[in-house]
Amino acid sequence: MKLKRRQFLFFGSLSTLGAGIFSFLGRQNSNYTYTAAVANTVVAAKPKTKDLLLRFVSVADTGTGDRGQYFVAKAMTQYHSQNPYDLILLAGDNIYTNGEIEKINEVFERPYASLLQKGVKFQAVLGNHDVRTDNGYLQMKYVNFNMLGRFYTFRRDKPGTASAKGERIQFFALDTNNNADWKNQLIWLENELSRSNAPWKIVYGHHPIYASGVYGSNPDFIKIFTPLFQKYGVQLYINGHEHHYERTKAINGTTYLICGGGAGTRPVGSSEWTDYSASKLSFAAYEVYTDRIEISGIDTDNRIFDKGIIPLKST
């Protein structure tokens, strides 16, 4: 059954941004790599390994304050108790319905109180609901969202192992809203990617590039980001907006991961490039090693319902 796709309102004319920033918009190919999923295993503590660089999780579309959000937060806390992590990528729609910062206790501080008390750091981006009030300005300034701007980058590595070359994992946080400063943001992103010496490059934002849900894939984003990610070796893009879980096969070297089941769910289908999809209250967990990233989709029953691997050099 073909899912209904609502056209996402994107910025007016790409041509006005100048030929320079879009010189990378080359012709795409259909280079997909399949990774099998391993489902329905109970989360358990993993043995410590010296090869693990970083463990982190991601979740999106969380800020309702409803039972679904608490169920997912509880599962995130349970996972932390067995497999400690100190970073959460919060991929937008942090405060429903209109991004009102006065709701921050109800929709963020209380649901995640245990994780915040343990010193887990959230790094947020803005979703479409977040920019409805003051264009998200007060969320940007909120200390526990740790936003360094509307778009920003930061690096992480195994504690005590950073070398003179810098940390081995670099994150790039984007503002994917239709009122974003697209001209300057895309120039910034290409500049940051081009000079990054991090072997692992992970980009995240609120809106999907590839998706099999209610909204579907975004043709403009595919045209812009797919060749850009391929050119600079981005291995992973993480987003929300679609209220489901979906992991793609590697598309021109990049895996696309939707983790929008942080408080509620909507139906999801599958596409030729889908490796796994599910309409589940859930979050995603990642273990970054020198040669691979291991991804786990985890539901509110503390079960790993999906497992995938991204090699350092995806093809």
Side-chain angles (χ1 to χ4, degrees), residues 197-263:
N197 57 6
W200 290 109
K201 300 177 183 69
I202 299 171
V203 180
Y204 68 107
H206 181 62
H207 293 88
I209 299 175
Y210 295 90
S212 304
V214 174
Y215 297 106
S217 300
N218 186 307
D220 290 317
F221 280 10
I222 289 173
K223 190 181 297 183
I224 294 167
F225 290 114
T226 304
L228 182 63
F229 291 169
Q230 182 181 18
K231 180 177 180 180
Y232 294 108
V234 173
Q235 294 96 346
L236 178 61
Y237 175 78
I238 300 168
N239 67 274
H241 195 54
E242 295 273 22
H243 294 188
H244 67 254
Y245 175 95
E246 186 169 11
R247 177 176 55 82
T248 73
K249 306 167 188 178
I251 302 174
N252 294 350
T254 305
T255 296
Y256 297 81
L257 193 290
I258 297 172
C259 56

Side-chain angles (χ1 to χ4, degrees), residues 148-218:
L148 306 176
R150 303 193 79 85
F151 46 90
Y152 61 98
T153 184
F154 61 97
R155 289 174 173 256
R156 294 293 295 270
D157 205 341
K158 189 173 183 178
T161 62
S163 67
K165 295 182 179 180
E167 290 83 358
R168 285 171 282 187
I169 308 150
Q170 186 165 359
F171 295 89
F172 305 83
L174 301 182
D175 177 2
T176 59
N177 289 289
N178 62 349
N179 66 343
D181 183 359
W182 281 104
K183 180 177 180 179
N184 288 320
Q185 180 173 216
L186 290 174
I187 292 171
W188 167 86
L189 179 60
E190 183 159 28
N191 285 341
E192 291 292 335
L193 288 172
S194 67
R195 66 187 185 205
S196 174
N197 57 6
W200 290 109
K201 300 177 183 69
I202 299 171
V203 180
Y204 68 107
H206 181 62
H207 293 88
I209 299 175
Y210 295 90
S212 304
V214 174
Y215 297 106
S217 300
N218 186 307

Side-chain angles (χ1 to χ4, degrees), residues 6-315:
R6 190 170 72 194
Q7 183 68 37
F8 175 66
L9 297 175
F10 194 50
F11 49 91
S13 173
L14 299 182
S15 61
T16 61
L17 300 187
I21 186 62
F22 295 107
S23 62
F24 54 81
L25 298 181
R27 189 183 181 92
Q28 299 179 81
N29 58 59
S30 298
N31 186 10
Y32 303 141
T33 301
Y34 179 76
T35 304
V38 178
N40 295 321
T41 56
V42 178
V43 170
K46 292 187 177 181
K48 292 183 179 180
T49 169
K50 64 180 180 180
D51 298 327
L52 179 65
L53 300 178
L54 178 69
R55 181 184 291 122
F56 69 97
V57 308
S58 71
V59 68
D61 302 275
T62 55
T64 64
D66 294 337
R67 293 176 64 191
Q69 183 182 10
Y70 277 88
F71 290 155
V72 176
K74 183 178 179 181
M76 292 165 63
T77 303
Q78 175 65 22
Y79 180 75
H80 182 278
S81 70
Q82 296 179 300
N83 299 282
Y85 58 88
D86 65 358
L87 173 64
I88 297 173
L89 304 185
L90 193 61
D93 281 358
N94 314 311
I95 304 175
Y96 284 103
T97 296
N98 297 309
E100 310 96 316
I101 197 67
E102 58 268 23
K103 292 182 177 179
I104 196 65
N105 182 257
E106 173 188 351
V107 304
F108 178 75
E109 292 173 347
R110 273 189 283 175
Y112 306 116
S114 178
L115 292 168
L116 290 166
Q117 289 166 6
K118 296 177 191 302
V120 178
K121 187 175 184 178
F122 289 75
Q123 299 265 183
V125 294
L126 297 172
N128 53 295
H129 285 269
D130 300 317
V131 299
R132 290 182 179 181
T133 298
D134 295 327
N135 202 22
Y137 177 78
L138 293 179
Q139 287 198 43
M140 281 179 51
K141 298 302 179 184
Y142 174 61
V143 63
N144 286 325
F145 282 169
N146 294 291
M147 296 179 66
L148 306 176
R150 303 193 79 85
F151 46 90
Y152 61 98
T153 184
F154 61 97
R155 289 174 173 256
R156 294 293 295 270
D157 205 341
K158 189 173 183 178
T161 62
S163 67
K165 295 182 179 180
E167 290 83 358
R168 285 171 282 187
I169 308 150
Q170 186 165 359
F171 295 89
F172 305 83
L174 301 182
D175 177 2
T176 59
N177 289 289
N178 62 349
N179 66 343
D181 183 359
W182 281 104
K183 180 177 180 179
N184 288 320
Q185 180 173 216
L186 290 174
I187 292 171
W188 167 86
L189 179 60
E190 183 159 28
N191 285 341
E192 291 292 335
L193 288 172
S194 67
R195 66 187 185 205
S196 174
N197 57 6
W200 290 109
K201 300 177 183 69
I202 299 171
V203 180
Y204 68 107
H206 181 62
H207 293 88
I209 299 175
Y210 295 90
S212 304
V214 174
Y215 297 106
S217 300
N218 186 307
D220 290 317
F221 280 10
I222 289 173
K223 190 181 297 183
I224 294 167
F225 290 114
T226 304
L228 182 63
F229 291 169
Q230 182 181 18
K231 180 177 180 180
Y232 294 108
V234 173
Q235 294 96 346
L236 178 61
Y237 175 78
I238 300 168
N239 67 274
H241 195 54
E242 295 273 22
H243 294 188
H244 67 254
Y245 175 95
E246 186 169 11
R247 177 176 55 82
T248 73
K249 306 167 188 178
I251 302 174
N252 294 350
T254 305
T255 296
Y256 297 81
L257 193 290
I258 297 172
C259 56
T265 61
R266 286 196 291 249
V268 59
S270 63
S271 304
E272 61 174 329
W273 32 258
T274 303
D275 213 350
Y276 191 92
S277 62
S279 179
K280 283 180 177 285
L281 288 171
S282 58
F283 67 98
Y286 312 80
E287 291 193 338
V288 185
Y289 297 87
T290 55
D291 63 342
R292 70 195 185 280
I293 297 177
E294 296 183 4
I295 301 174
S296 299
I298 302 173
D299 64 20
T300 53
D301 292 322
N302 301 306
R303 289 189 172 273
I304 299 173
F305 61 85
D306 173 54
K307 219 160 172 50
I309 295 177
I310 301 174
L312 180 60
K313 298 290 185 180
S314 296
T315 57

